[in-house]
Amino acid sequence: MLRPNLALLFVILAWATNIPATAVLMEHWDFWFVSVLRFGIGYVTLWLVFQWREPAARRMGAPVETWRLWVLGAAGAGLFGPLYNAGIDTSNPIMVAIMNAASPAVAAVVGRVCFGYPIERRMFPAIALAVLGCALATWNPTNPGNPFAVRGGEPLILASMFLWSWYSLAAQRWLTGWSQLRITTATLGPGVAMIIAFYLIASLLGLSSFSPGAPRGALDVGLVLWIAVGGVTLAMLFWNFGVQRLGLVVAALFLNLMPIVTILVLALMGQMPTWLQLGGTALVVVGLLQAQLRSLPARRAA
C-alpha cells in the first residue's frame, strides 16, 4: 500500500505549495494572468491525459446538456480561479492556508443549503472549531481599532471555497456515471474559456495587461509548471488513484496536512506564523480530524 500513500502525499505537497508559489508569481504578474497560466496549461495537459487514458469516453455515459458543463465550469474554474488568486493576492497567505483547512466544514454547509443534504452530527463540532480557529488566527490584539488582522481578500477566499464545494457536489449529481478524469476535463474546458475571457476584458478595462512581461527566470517557469501540471493534472490523477486504493475517508485524512505543509513552506520563505495563527490552525485541524476519525469505523464496516 506504499504507492497510494505516496500518491496522496504528492497531492498534499502540490496543493499545499500552490499558495506560496502563486504568491511569488503574483509579485511579477497579476492574478488574472496567473489564473490563465495555471488553468490553461493545466487543462491542456489534462486533456492530453484524458485522450490517452479514456479515448472512447465521449461515446460512453448519459448525454449531458451543454449548459450544465458551462455552469460547472464557471463554479469550478471560471469564477473560482480568479477569485481564489485575487484572494491570495490581497490576503495573508498563512490565513488562506488556515481557511482552506476548513473546506470540509464549508462543504457540509453548502451541501445542506444548496442540496438539502443533512449535516452529520459529528460535523457540528468541526464547523464550530473551524469558525473559532479562523477567528483566532486573524485576531491581533496589538492592532489599534480593529483587533482582527484581515487584509480584505478573505471574503474572496470564502466565496471561492463555496463555489468549489458547490461544484464538487453538483458535478457528482449531474454527471453520474462519468469518471472523475472525464468530469474534470469536461468542466475545466468551459472554465478556462471564461478565465481567458475575463483576462481579456480586464486588460481592455486597464485592470490587467495584454503584455504581462516575460518570466523573471527559471524559477517563474518552474513555479508555473508546478502549479499547473503538478497542482492540476498530476494531483488530480494521483488523488483518484489514492481514493481508489485507500478509500475517500482515509484519503481525506491526508488533507489535514495541507495547512501544516503550507505554513512550513511559508516559514522557510521567511513568513513566520504567529502563535495565534498556529493555535487557529490547530483548532481547525483537530475539529476536522475528530469528525473524520469518528466516521472511520462506520464507513469501513459499510
Side-chain angles (χ1 to χ4, degrees):
M1 302 296 286
L2 179 61
R3 291 174 61 192
N5 282 281
L6 291 177
L8 289 173
L9 286 176
F10 175 88
V11 172
I12 299 309
L13 180 63
W15 287 348
T17 54
N18 172 67
I19 295 173
T22 300
V24 170
L25 290 173
M26 287 192 296
E27 294 173 357
H28 179 56
W29 294 314
D30 61 49
F31 67 87
W32 298 106
F33 186 66
V34 171
S35 299
V36 171
L37 289 176
R38 183 191 180 199
F39 289 94
I41 297 174
Y43 173 69
V44 171
T45 55
L46 189 64
W47 183 86
L48 292 173
V49 172
F50 174 65
Q51 297 299 319
W52 166 52
R53 296 288 298 273
E54 301 182 21
R58 291 178 177 273
R59 300 187 295 273
M60 300 170 58
V64 175
E65 297 94 333
T66 302
W67 69 266
R68 293 183 184 270
L69 297 179
W70 280 90
V71 171
L72 290 171
L79 296 175
F80 166 81
L83 279 176
Y84 187 72
N85 284 342
I88 295 176
D89 193 32
T90 52
S91 302
N92 185 329
I94 294 177
M95 188 58 207
V96 176
I98 298 171
M99 294 180 69
N100 277 343
S103 293
V106 173
V109 174
V110 172
R112 175 60 181 172
V113 173
C114 299
F115 300 100
Y117 295 151
I119 300 179
E120 299 180 32
R121 293 179 61 184
R122 62 185 176 82
M123 284 302 300
F124 285 107
I127 294 172
L129 287 174
V131 174
L132 182 60
C134 289
L136 180 64
T138 61
W139 186 47
N140 185 355
T142 62
N143 270 4
N146 183 9
F148 291 95
V150 295
R151 299 183 181 177
E154 290 79 8
L156 299 178
I157 296 295
L158 186 60
S160 66
M161 291 169 63
F162 271 86
L163 284 171
W164 179 258
S165 296
W166 184 90
Y167 162 78
S168 300
L169 295 170
Q172 303 306 314
R173 288 168 62 100
W174 289 357
L175 305 179
T176 304
W178 286 27
S179 70
Q180 298 306 308
L181 177 58
R182 185 183 182 188
I183 289 174
T184 306
T185 307
T187 56
L188 187 56
V192 169
M194 293 180 193
I195 290 175
I196 294 174
F198 290 148
Y199 166 65
L200 295 176
I201 293 172
S203 297
L204 289 173
L205 295 176
L207 302 176
S208 185
S209 172
F210 288 115
S211 302
R216 292 167 294 185
L219 178 61
D220 281 353
V221 175
L223 289 177
V224 168
L225 292 176
W226 175 247
I227 65 174
V229 180
V232 176
T233 309
L234 294 179
M236 191 279 298
L237 293 174
F238 289 165
W239 172 258
N240 287 336
F241 175 71
V243 170
Q244 181 186 42
R245 295 297 182 90
L246 300 178
L248 179 59
V249 176
V250 175
L253 294 176
F254 280 79
L255 297 178
N256 295 294
L257 297 172
M258 281 185 58
I260 300 173
V261 174
T262 301
I263 290 175
L264 178 61
V265 172
L266 288 169
L268 292 174
M269 294 170 59
Q271 188 166 347
M272 300 299 296
T274 66
W275 286 109
L276 289 174
Q277 289 172 335
L278 292 175
T281 303
L283 285 177
V284 174
V285 172
V286 167
L288 295 172
L289 189 59
Q290 64 82 28
Q292 292 162 340
L293 291 176
R294 285 170 58 189
S295 71
L296 202 54
R299 295 196 180 186
R300 279 180 170 172

